[in-house]
Amino acid sequence: MTVTASHLIWGVRRRTIVSDVSLSVAQGETLGLIGPNGSGKSSLLRLLAGLKRPSSGRIEINGQDIAHVPRRLLARQVAFVQQSAATDTNVSVRDVVRLGRTPHRSALAGWSAEDEAAVAAALARVDMTDRRAQPWQTLSGGERQRVHIARALAQSPRVMFLDEPTNHLDIHHQIEILRMVRDLDLTSIIALHDLNLAAMFCDRIIVLQGGRIIASGTPETVLTRALLRDVFRVEAEISLAPQGGAPHIRFRAD
């Protein structure tokens, strides 16, 4: 599914957080959102996913204005993975992932073989099958994040929005999660802090600053020394990999 946004504006009280943002994401594309803290990445993700309503502007998923799509139908198409989530309820890993099937089931519907298969496949994707019966409260922060990604996958979405999905993960699982997302037959929009991971796994990158898009394009065209200096206020060396590989950023300490 495609995702397009036109002239989005959103804010709180008199503060504008997302300012005149327009973008387009092709079917199957992985788009990365990067920018300093407070640049509007999380707010923009929530607008695109339909979790917030813009003050003005329009968001379309596969050509449909999501403002006119019933919430339950939208939830069958779109999944959102937030930075972290907590619950005081003592439930199992499998119970958390089962919640991803809610949009596909009516109030009186029983648990189906299709539901069970979706949950099992989602747990396998994030390498949590062996822990499906483990209590949620006993998981580490990284394990909980993997379970929430599994919950989103169990939803069987066509578009996935992820807000810092690699927070709290060790480097192995950071790479595995982003590789998995990239290889899924989904349109994905991911907010990331790690610029090298964004370069490795995103087809295109959008740079936000002060709620506005200031750069957009492939990682090798967007991630320049000048942009890193001007937007992130860091000095860095950028190595371009041979044969079209992802650029690598090495930050300077001096």
Coordinates of all heavy atoms in Angstrom, one line a residue, residues 88-128:
D88 N 0.7 -3.5 33.8 CA 0.8 -4.1 35.1 C 0.1 -5.4 35.2 O 0.1 -6.1 36.2 CB 0.1 -3.1 36.2 CG 0.9 -1.8 36.3 OD1 2.1 -1.9 36.2 OD2 0.3 -0.8 36.5
T89 N -0.6 -5.8 34.1 CA -1.3 -7.1 34.0 C -0.3 -8.2 33.8 O 0.6 -8.1 33.0 CB -2.3 -7.1 32.9 OG1 -3.1 -5.9 33.0 CG2 -3.1 -8.3 32.9
N90 N -0.5 -9.3 34.6 CA 0.4 -10.4 34.5 C -0.1 -11.4 33.4 O -0.8 -12.3 33.7 CB 0.5 -11.1 35.9 CG 1.6 -12.2 35.9 OD1 2.6 -12.1 35.1 ND2 1.5 -13.1 36.7
V91 N 0.3 -11.1 32.2 CA -0.1 -11.9 31.1 C 1.1 -12.5 30.4 O 2.3 -12.1 30.7 CB -0.8 -11.0 30.0 CG1 -2.1 -10.5 30.5 CG2 0.1 -9.9 29.5
S92 N 0.9 -13.5 29.6 CA 2.0 -14.2 28.9 C 2.4 -13.5 27.6 O 1.6 -12.6 27.1 CB 1.6 -15.6 28.6 OG 0.6 -15.6 27.6
V93 N 3.5 -13.8 27.1 CA 4.0 -13.3 25.8 C 2.9 -13.6 24.8 O 2.6 -12.7 24.0 CB 5.3 -13.9 25.5 CG1 5.7 -13.7 24.0 CG2 6.4 -13.4 26.4
R94 N 2.4 -14.8 24.7 CA 1.4 -15.2 23.7 C 0.2 -14.3 23.8 O -0.4 -13.9 22.8 CB 1.1 -16.6 23.8 CG 0.1 -17.1 22.8 CD -0.1 -18.6 22.9 NE -1.1 -19.1 22.0 CZ -2.4 -19.3 22.3 NH1 -2.8 -18.9 23.5 NH2 -3.3 -19.7 21.4
D95 N -0.3 -14.0 25.1 CA -1.5 -13.2 25.3 C -1.3 -11.8 24.7 O -2.2 -11.2 24.1 CB -1.8 -13.1 26.8 CG -2.3 -14.4 27.4 OD1 -2.8 -15.2 26.6 OD2 -2.1 -14.6 28.6
V96 N -0.1 -11.2 24.9 CA 0.2 -9.9 24.3 C 0.1 -9.9 22.8 O -0.5 -9.1 22.1 CB 1.6 -9.4 24.8 CG1 1.9 -8.1 24.0 CG2 1.6 -9.2 26.3
V97 N 0.7 -10.9 22.2 CA 0.7 -11.0 20.7 C -0.7 -11.3 20.2 O -1.1 -10.8 19.1 CB 1.7 -12.1 20.3 CG1 1.7 -12.2 18.7 CG2 3.1 -11.8 20.7
R98 N -1.5 -12.1 20.9 CA -2.9 -12.3 20.5 C -3.7 -11.1 20.3 O -4.6 -11.0 19.5 CB -3.5 -13.2 21.5 CG -3.2 -14.7 21.4 CD -3.7 -15.5 22.6 NE -5.1 -15.4 22.8 CZ -6.0 -16.4 22.6 NH1 -5.5 -17.5 22.1 NH2 -7.3 -16.2 22.8
L99 N -3.3 -10.0 21.1 CA -4.1 -8.8 21.0 C -4.0 -8.2 19.5 O -4.9 -7.4 19.1 CB -3.6 -7.7 22.0 CG -3.8 -8.1 23.4 CD1 -3.1 -7.1 24.3 CD2 -5.3 -8.1 23.7
G100 N -3.0 -8.5 18.8 CA -2.8 -8.0 17.4 C -3.9 -8.5 16.5 O -4.2 -8.0 15.5
R101 N -4.6 -9.6 16.9 CA -5.7 -10.1 16.1 C -7.0 -9.5 16.3 O -8.0 -9.7 15.6 CB -5.9 -11.6 16.4 CG -4.6 -12.5 16.0 CD -4.2 -12.3 14.6 NE -5.2 -12.8 13.7 CZ -5.2 -12.5 12.4 NH1 -4.2 -11.8 11.8 NH2 -6.2 -13.0 11.6
T102 N -7.1 -8.6 17.3 CA -8.4 -7.9 17.7 C -9.1 -7.3 16.5 O -10.3 -7.5 16.3 CB -8.2 -6.9 18.8 OG1 -7.6 -7.5 19.9 CG2 -9.5 -6.2 19.2
P103 N -8.5 -6.5 15.6 CA -9.2 -5.9 14.5 C -9.8 -6.9 13.5 O -10.7 -6.5 12.8 CB -8.1 -5.0 13.8 CG -7.1 -4.9 14.8 CD -7.0 -6.1 15.6
H104 N -9.4 -8.1 13.5 CA -9.9 -9.1 12.6 C -11.0 -10.0 13.1 O -11.5 -10.9 12.4 CB -8.7 -10.0 12.1 CG -7.6 -9.3 11.4 ND1 -7.6 -9.0 10.1 CD2 -6.4 -8.8 11.9 CE1 -6.5 -8.4 9.8 NE2 -5.8 -8.2 10.8
R105 N -11.4 -9.7 14.4 CA -12.3 -10.6 15.0 C -13.5 -9.8 15.5 O -13.4 -8.8 16.1 CB -11.7 -11.4 16.2 CG -10.4 -12.1 15.8 CD -9.7 -12.7 17.0 NE -10.5 -13.7 17.7 CZ -10.9 -13.6 19.0 NH1 -10.5 -12.5 19.7 NH2 -11.6 -14.5 19.5
S106 N -14.7 -10.4 15.3 CA -15.9 -9.8 15.9 C -16.1 -10.1 17.3 O -15.4 -11.0 17.8 CB -17.1 -10.2 15.1 OG -17.4 -11.6 15.3
A107 N -17.0 -9.5 18.0 CA -17.1 -9.7 19.4 C -17.5 -11.1 19.8 O -17.1 -11.6 20.9 CB -18.2 -8.7 20.0
L108 N -18.2 -11.8 18.9 CA -18.7 -13.1 19.2 C -17.8 -14.2 18.5 O -18.1 -15.4 18.7 CB -20.1 -13.3 18.8 CG -21.1 -12.3 19.5 CD1 -22.5 -12.5 19.0 CD2 -21.1 -12.5 21.0
A109 N -16.8 -13.8 17.8 CA -16.1 -14.8 17.0 C -15.1 -15.6 17.9 O -14.5 -15.0 18.9 CB -15.2 -14.1 15.9
G110 N -15.0 -16.9 17.7 CA -14.1 -17.7 18.4 C -12.6 -17.5 17.8 O -12.4 -16.9 16.8
W111 N -11.7 -18.1 18.6 CA -10.3 -18.1 18.1 C -10.1 -19.1 17.0 O -10.4 -20.2 17.2 CB -9.4 -18.4 19.3 CG -7.9 -18.2 19.1 CD1 -7.0 -19.2 18.9 CD2 -7.3 -16.9 19.0 NE1 -5.8 -18.6 18.6 CE2 -5.9 -17.2 18.7 CE3 -7.7 -15.6 19.1 CZ2 -4.9 -16.2 18.6 CZ3 -6.7 -14.6 18.9 CH2 -5.4 -14.9 18.7
S112 N -9.6 -18.6 15.9 CA -9.6 -19.5 14.7 C -8.2 -20.0 14.4 O -7.2 -19.5 15.0 CB -10.0 -18.7 13.5 OG -9.1 -17.7 13.1
A113 N -8.1 -21.0 13.5 CA -6.8 -21.5 13.1 C -6.0 -20.4 12.4 O -4.7 -20.4 12.6 CB -7.0 -22.7 12.2
E114 N -6.6 -19.5 11.7 CA -5.9 -18.4 11.1 C -5.3 -17.5 12.1 O -4.2 -17.0 11.9 CB -6.9 -17.6 10.2 CG -6.3 -16.5 9.4 CD -7.2 -15.7 8.6 OE1 -8.4 -16.0 8.6 OE2 -6.8 -14.7 7.9
D115 N -6.1 -17.2 13.2 CA -5.5 -16.4 14.3 C -4.3 -17.0 14.9 O -3.3 -16.4 15.1 CB -6.6 -16.2 15.3 CG -7.8 -15.3 14.9 OD1 -7.6 -14.4 14.0 OD2 -8.9 -15.6 15.3
E116 N -4.4 -18.3 15.2 CA -3.3 -19.0 15.8 C -2.1 -19.1 14.9 O -0.9 -18.9 15.4 CB -3.7 -20.5 16.1 CG -2.8 -21.2 17.0 CD -2.6 -20.6 18.4 OE1 -3.6 -20.1 18.9 OE2 -1.5 -20.6 18.9
A117 N -2.3 -19.2 13.6 CA -1.2 -19.3 12.7 C -0.5 -17.9 12.6 O 0.8 -17.8 12.5 CB -1.6 -19.7 11.3
A118 N -1.3 -16.8 12.6 CA -0.7 -15.5 12.6 C 0.1 -15.2 13.8 O 1.2 -14.6 13.8 CB -1.8 -14.4 12.5
V119 N -0.3 -15.6 15.0 CA 0.4 -15.4 16.2 C 1.7 -16.2 16.2 O 2.8 -15.7 16.6 CB -0.5 -15.8 17.5 CG1 0.4 -15.8 18.7 CG2 -1.6 -14.8 17.6
A120 N 1.6 -17.5 15.8 CA 2.8 -18.3 15.8 C 3.9 -17.8 14.8 O 5.1 -17.7 15.1 CB 2.4 -19.7 15.4
A121 N 3.4 -17.3 13.7 CA 4.4 -16.7 12.7 C 5.0 -15.5 13.2 O 6.2 -15.2 13.0 CB 3.6 -16.5 11.4
A122 N 4.2 -14.6 13.9 CA 4.8 -13.4 14.4 C 5.8 -13.7 15.5 O 6.9 -13.0 15.6 CB 3.6 -12.5 15.0
L123 N 5.5 -14.6 16.4 CA 6.5 -14.9 17.4 C 7.8 -15.5 16.8 O 8.9 -15.2 17.3 CB 5.9 -16.0 18.4 CG 4.8 -15.4 19.4 CD1 4.1 -16.6 20.0 CD2 5.5 -14.5 20.4
A124 N 7.6 -16.3 15.8 CA 8.8 -16.9 15.1 C 9.7 -15.8 14.5 O 10.9 -15.8 14.5 CB 8.4 -17.9 14.1
R125 N 9.0 -14.8 13.9 CA 9.7 -13.7 13.2 C 10.7 -12.9 14.2 O 11.7 -12.5 13.7 CB 8.7 -12.7 12.7 CG 8.1 -13.1 11.3 CD 9.1 -12.8 10.2 NE 8.4 -13.0 8.9 CZ 9.0 -12.7 7.8 NH1 10.3 -12.4 7.8 NH2 8.4 -12.9 6.6
V126 N 10.3 -12.8 15.4 CA 11.1 -12.0 16.4 C 11.8 -12.9 17.3 O 12.3 -12.5 18.4 CB 10.2 -11.0 17.2 CG1 9.6 -10.0 16.2 CG2 9.2 -11.7 18.0
D127 N 11.9 -14.2 17.0 CA 12.7 -15.2 17.8 C 12.2 -15.3 19.3 O 13.0 -15.3 20.2 CB 14.2 -14.8 17.7 CG 15.1 -15.9 18.2 OD1 14.6 -17.1 18.2 OD2 16.2 -15.6 18.7
M128 N 10.9 -15.3 19.4 CA 10.3 -15.4 20.8 C 9.4 -16.6 20.9 O 8.7 -16.7 21.9 CB 9.5 -14.1 21.1 CG 10.4 -12.9 21.3 SD 11.5 -13.0 22.8 CE 10.3 -12.7 24.1

